[in-house]
Amino acid sequence: MDGGVGGGLPVNNKQRSMLSNNRGRGEFIRNQRKDSEGFSESPDLEFEYADTDKCMAELSELYSYTEGPEFHLNRKCFEEDFRTHVAEQKWTELDAAQHRAHAMRLLDGLEVTARERRLKVARAILYLTQGSFGECGSEAEVQHWMRYNIFLLLEVGTFTAMVELLNMEIDNSAACSSAVRKPAISLADSTDLRVLLNIMYLMVETIRREDEADRPEWRASRETFRSELGSPLYNNEPISVMLFGMVTKFCSGHAPHFPMKKVLLLLWKSVVFTLGGFEQLQTIKIRRREGLGLPPLPEDSIRVIRNMRAASPPASASDLIEQQQKRARREHKGLIKQDNLDAFNEKDPYKADDSREDDEDGEENDNALEAETFPLERDEVMPPPIPHAPSERISFPKGLPWAPKVREKDIENFLESSRSKFIGYTLGNDTDTVVGLPRPIHESIHTLKQHKYVSIGEIQISREEEYQKTPLSGGEEEVEMSPTELLYQGMLPSLPQYMIALLKILLAAAPTSKAKTDSINILADVLPEEMPTTVLQSMKLGVDVNRHKEIIVKAISTILLLLLKHFKLNHVYQFEYMAQHLVFANCIPLVLKFFNQNIMSYITAKNSISVLDFPHCVVHELPELTAESLEAGDTNQFCWRNLFSCINLLRILNKLTKWKHSRTMMLVVFKSAPILKRALKVKQAMMQLYVLKLLKVQTKYLGRQWRKSNMKTMSAIYQKVRHRLNDDWAYGNDLDARPWDFQAEECALRANIERFNSRRYDQTQSNPDFLPVDNCLQSVLGQRVELPEDFQMNYDLWLEREVFSKPISWEELLQ
């Protein structure tokens, strides 16, 4: 008898050897105790979610490491031109008037026809936007001169000139046809485009960021620039629509030399600047709710999420035993588990690194059954609960973080079921009459109404139904021409193509994609002309390529999330139109495929070389790179951009599936539960919240056995996700989940979206039944009618055939 284990049950030899193989029974029990309370050895990730990373990180991600030599080429181009006008002084020693005069001279230099000369001038301008680093001694000094130079260049009209040059390069058919014919595209094929996009990105990113030390005229310039970027001033379309056009042209294969990372980064920053980031979204939402007369939001969601603590449900002792038993019996298994995402017919390259996690999560039903098969062994190894001091137990804030919400539909359903149960008849949508219902039902209804939440989207849908029902008496809809509305109008004709193009690039950049699945080459702006010849160069290029892909994922995930959120606030059917085309383009399985990897490895990846990042590389002397220094990477606990991308992709998945039963069933069909559960290993509260939300919506479809063997996940959902009163998410009693309605649900939504777009934006196809009729003979005869040319040529024949050859009874006509 071993008194320390198992409550007086005998310990067999197998278990004794297992316990003795641990570093000590006390340590084993202590670790299990920590696990049982939701603690974990890995610390919480100190990650602060924001619109973007720190300024210098965002600027350094614009450049690939392969572009390093071009910094000094830009400086050389500037100094050659500068010395022809100013012999002695440095740029930093001139006064404001001289700075402006030289900036105007550079702008005039862009008007020449010779491409080489124009490129040199553009490089000189790029050197100024990079902070004239040759005359600076520190990174802070580079930042100061960047800001000064960029506002100076904005004032003299540089950005408009860059847009015109970019349009010329987009329409440059010679460069496109040359790139299409090339077997391998490199940096050299996109030189002109990269220089222009670099200047535009640096200007947008620097001007976008507010600084307390900014002059009043700079603040005014920022607001003017913001409104210009969001207005259809460039080619009668916002700058974002022009960039979307570049993305689709690249994906169609007509322009494979486009530097897609830079295009996507500029597109992302243009959307953030013109529409607003996540903080501004919250402000817009509050203002919209006030305008519609809705009650204020129950809490500030951004602040609630920031105050949340991460919890990691680790493996229990019984899970560890079961894994050992499974390994011993694996050769006897007759059936092989189907891959989680067999629709893609690919094995995950990271899966070999994460076999333990796959065993634990991918076969959860097996775990649960085996846990029931060996109760004796499980009870013996599990330690008894040990009492703790009260100070140790206070680890989570008291109460739930979110106020519960109830929809009008939930109250109606509750009343319908109560009336049919107690009275025997129903009253339709009446939520006020409670005659004949018992007192507890009255109190329930009162509680439900206290927490009733009406969203902006519900108001917009009801108003749209009114416009559709009464097109004449309903009056004209007043549409506010906000930047979001202007962007939607610009995107509307080609929005499906834009979504497909972004998802194609996202698929090519995903770490789980193999080379054979890459239908497009996204490495055109990272591969050098001459491929590496040494091991060190190969390692550096490998880091560069991985970093390049990570930045593309980061940009696309943020663009999609921001557009979905802004369109949803502007009009819910704009959001639904974009969301539906993302679903049709297989966004849901693509995001699940992205997460079907060792997500901890992705988040802690060190694909960066800090000494080569801008502006460090132009201010300091570069140390000699070695294989060891490249392998070591940086000292950060995690990679900000990768964690940011993961959270954004989870938020997109939540946006697409919320209140959509057909899409929730897609999560179930694609076996997302084990994939999402594996993502809970990342100890970051915000990421865990969105994973738990996705698990919550499908829990009722996963079966009792899954719920039974995943009680820690169920507890985490209860603790962290908002409650919907009357929502039986933990059980399988959902009346709305009728599978034969799924297709009808999407079709009805699609019809509503098409009616909305047709009514608001399609002016050419207005219904002729609703046009006013002109009953005045004089005005009808006085209308000018355009006749075709062939009619005018054959007018004499027409007169002869239709008029002169036909007898006319004038008496009858006059009567």
Side-chain angles (χ1 to χ4, degrees), residues 731-748:
Y731 309 98
N733 306 322
D734 190 10
L735 298 175
D736 290 334
R738 294 185 289 267
W740 54 86
D741 286 346
F742 291 161
Q743 197 166 359
E745 182 185 58
E746 288 289 349
C747 290

Side-chain angles (χ1 to χ4, degrees), residues 582-626:
L582 284 172
V583 172
F584 292 160
N586 280 335
C587 183
I588 291 175
L590 172 55
V591 174
L592 292 175
K593 176 184 168 67
F594 181 91
F595 279 96
N596 192 25
Q597 58 170 309
N598 183 347
I599 209 70
M600 277 304 293
S601 296
Y602 185 69
I603 282 170
T604 55
K606 298 189 186 311
N607 290 312
S608 59
I609 308 166
S610 54
V611 292
L612 296 180
D613 284 340
F614 177 86
H616 186 281
C617 63
V618 294
V619 175
H620 304 283
E621 285 291 324
L622 287 185
E624 189 176 346
L625 289 176
T626 61

Side-chain angles (χ1 to χ4, degrees), residues 131-179:
S132 47
F133 53 80
E135 300 169 25
C136 300
S138 67
E139 293 181 27
E141 213 176 329
V142 172
Q143 269 187 288
H144 166 78
W145 281 103
M146 272 183 76
R147 200 163 187 80
Y148 173 83
N149 293 343
I150 282 170
F151 274 103
L152 171 70
L153 290 167
L154 177 68
E155 189 187 340
V156 298
T158 307
F159 194 84
T160 310
M162 291 300 133
V163 173
E164 289 170 4
L165 287 173
L166 184 62
N167 270 317
M168 280 171 53
E169 290 299 327
I170 292 169
D171 299 332
N172 185 350
S173 54
C176 291
S177 56
S178 165

Side-chain angles (χ1 to χ4, degrees), residues 70 119 123 186-196 257:
E70 296 190 14
L119 178 61
R123 282 195 180 282
S186 67
L187 273 174
D189 298 293
S190 59
T191 304
D192 294 47
L193 279 165
R194 282 187 296 106
V195 170
L196 298 174
H257 64 300

Side-chain angles (χ1 to χ4, degrees), residues 383-397:
I386 299 171
H388 300 286
S391 59
E392 287 184 42
R393 290 186 177 181
I394 303 170
S395 56
F396 296 103

